[in-house]
Amino acid sequence: MRRHGKLINVCLALLCIVLVLILGGLVVWNRNQTREDKQRLEKLADETRAEDRENLQKLDKKQEETAKELQQKAAQEAEVTATPAPTLSPVPSEPVKEKTAGISCWGDDLLTAEDTQQYSYMTVLQKLLQENGYNIPVVNKTLQGGGTLSMMKRAGVDDQIIQNFISEHQKAANGAQLYVTETGIRDFTEEDLTRDDLDYIPVIFMGYYGGWNHDPAELAQQQEHILKTFSNQEQFIIVGTRPLDGSVDSAALDAALSEKWKEHYISLAVVTSSPSSTYEAQAAMARAVYEKMVELNYISK
């Protein structure tokens, strides 16, 4: 029995050796076959590249010959038919003069700083102008989350005028707590207070965050104070939207501001039903401002 078991073990060992040899042979054969395939493909690629170069050289030569023939033919025809051309003096072209030096946007910025660069009405308005052939810059003088008192301060309105508004707010409150925008003024750097837009057309969009004691007539006064800081006070656009706290509705605001500013006024509630801070509302506002500028003949083709 033991002898029989040993015989089986020997046979199995021999079988394993045979299988190992067969497997090794297959590996060697496969490696050789892969090497041959690689060499064959490389040779084929070299032949193809050489053929392509040869065909390209032939094509270049043919194109060069054709070009020479065309040049010779054109020269022959020119000798027969050519007549002296009259000498023309160059006519100087005058640059197109825009009606306005630029557009200055004052008031509220209702988007984040990042979104303002892409989706604010100022950015969209600049694109509309460029798309319609106008080389007019649009500058951003808005504040994020700022009240109208701060906007007047930045515009250069006299401090005493601003303090008078604050005193009236405190008097009307009769000791009640006021929003910070009704009494507070932001700190500005010298660069913030520098004005390089005095000859521009102002677009004033302010009041969303307060600062005017919930009184549309007072808001109109504050808008007028900013307008007076510009050189040309005949060309301007005022845009109105209801305040964030809902203390004044759109109808009441529009009634007061449209009576004050007449054809210069745009109601955001009229041009869009979207909330003021949405991309859709900003785009609608940009379109309305552009169309108003055309209507008032601030820009024309």
Side-chain angles (χ1 to χ4, degrees):
M1 192 72 172
R2 288 180 182 175
R3 189 174 302 170
H4 182 68
K6 289 181 179 179
L7 181 60
I8 291 175
N9 290 336
V10 171
C11 291
L12 289 173
L14 291 174
L15 179 60
C16 290
I17 293 171
V18 171
L19 290 174
V20 169
L21 292 174
I22 293 173
L23 180 60
L26 288 174
V27 170
V28 172
W29 178 82
N30 183 65
R31 185 179 301 167
N32 293 337
Q33 187 67 30
T34 301
R35 188 186 306 111
E36 292 176 359
D37 290 342
K38 182 179 179 181
Q39 292 173 350
R40 178 171 54 80
L41 291 174
E42 289 177 348
K43 182 179 179 181
L44 180 60
D46 291 339
E47 292 175 352
T48 302
R49 283 194 293 268
E51 184 177 353
D52 289 342
R53 283 195 299 269
E54 183 178 354
N55 291 335
L56 185 59
Q57 291 173 354
K58 291 180 179 179
L59 180 60
D60 290 342
K61 185 176 180 181
K62 184 175 181 180
Q63 290 178 341
E64 184 178 353
E65 292 175 352
T66 302
K68 288 182 178 179
E69 291 177 358
L70 291 174
Q71 290 177 354
Q72 292 175 355
K73 184 176 181 180
Q76 292 173 355
E77 292 177 352
E79 290 178 359
V80 175
T81 61
T83 58
T87 302
L88 299 177
S89 300
V91 179
S93 58
E94 294 184 1
V96 176
K97 294 182 180 180
E98 303 290 356
K99 285 190 171 185
T100 176
I103 300 168
S104 183
C105 299
W106 282 82
D108 295 310
D109 183 351
L110 308 185
L111 304 179
T112 64
E114 182 178 352
D115 285 349
T116 293
Q117 299 297 323
Q118 290 184 288
Y119 305 109
S120 71
Y121 83 90
M122 295 165 286
T123 300
V124 179
L125 177 60
Q126 183 71 84
K127 291 180 180 177
L128 284 173
L129 290 167
Q130 292 173 346
E131 290 171 358
N132 286 275
Y134 296 105
N135 185 27
I136 301 174
V138 177
V139 299
N140 180 1
K141 296 288 187 178
T142 61
L143 295 178
Q144 292 178 335
T148 55
L149 301 175
S150 296
M151 294 168 190
M152 286 193 290
K153 174 68 176 180
R154 189 182 184 190
V157 176
D158 187 85
D159 286 338
Q160 188 57 54
I161 294 176
I162 300 175
Q163 290 302 321
N164 289 341
F165 281 115
I166 295 175
S167 297
E168 291 298 321
H169 295 174
Q170 293 170 335
K171 181 179 178 180
N174 196 24
Q177 184 67 32
L178 291 173
Y179 289 116
V180 65
T181 53
E182 302 297 329
T183 58
I185 302 174
R186 287 191 181 182
D187 293 326
F188 294 104
T189 65
E190 184 177 349
E191 182 180 358
D192 292 331
L193 298 175
T194 301
R195 296 292 302 275
D196 53 0
D197 63 332
L198 298 180
D199 294 329
Y200 288 14
I201 294 177
V203 175
I204 303 176
F205 171 65
M206 57 190 276
Y208 186 76
Y209 294 106
W212 40 282
N213 203 29
H214 320 293
D215 181 2
E218 181 176 316
L219 176 60
Q221 293 175 16
Q222 295 179 354
Q223 292 167 336
E224 188 170 21
H225 282 300
I226 292 181
L227 176 60
K228 286 180 178 178
T229 65
F230 286 85
S231 301
N232 183 358
Q233 297 166 30
E234 300 300 321
Q235 294 186 335
F236 64 91
I237 293 173
I238 307 292
V239 183
T241 187
R242 69 172 184 81
L244 175 63
D245 60 11
S247 57
V248 178
D249 61 25
S250 296
L253 185 80
D254 291 341
L257 296 184
S258 61
E259 181 180 358
K260 169 69 175 179
W261 302 117
K262 303 295 190 295
E263 70 274 11
H264 297 273
Y265 182 67
I266 296 173
S267 167
L268 194 57
V270 171
V271 299
T272 178
S273 60
S274 300
S276 308
S277 59
T278 62
Y279 301 159
E280 293 79 8
Q282 293 289 301
M285 180 174 167
R287 170 61 65 179
V289 170
Y290 175 82
E291 292 175 351
K292 179 64 72 173
M293 294 188 69
V294 174
E295 174 191 332
L296 298 176
N297 201 30
Y298 296 166
I299 57 176
S300 62
K301 293 185 178 180

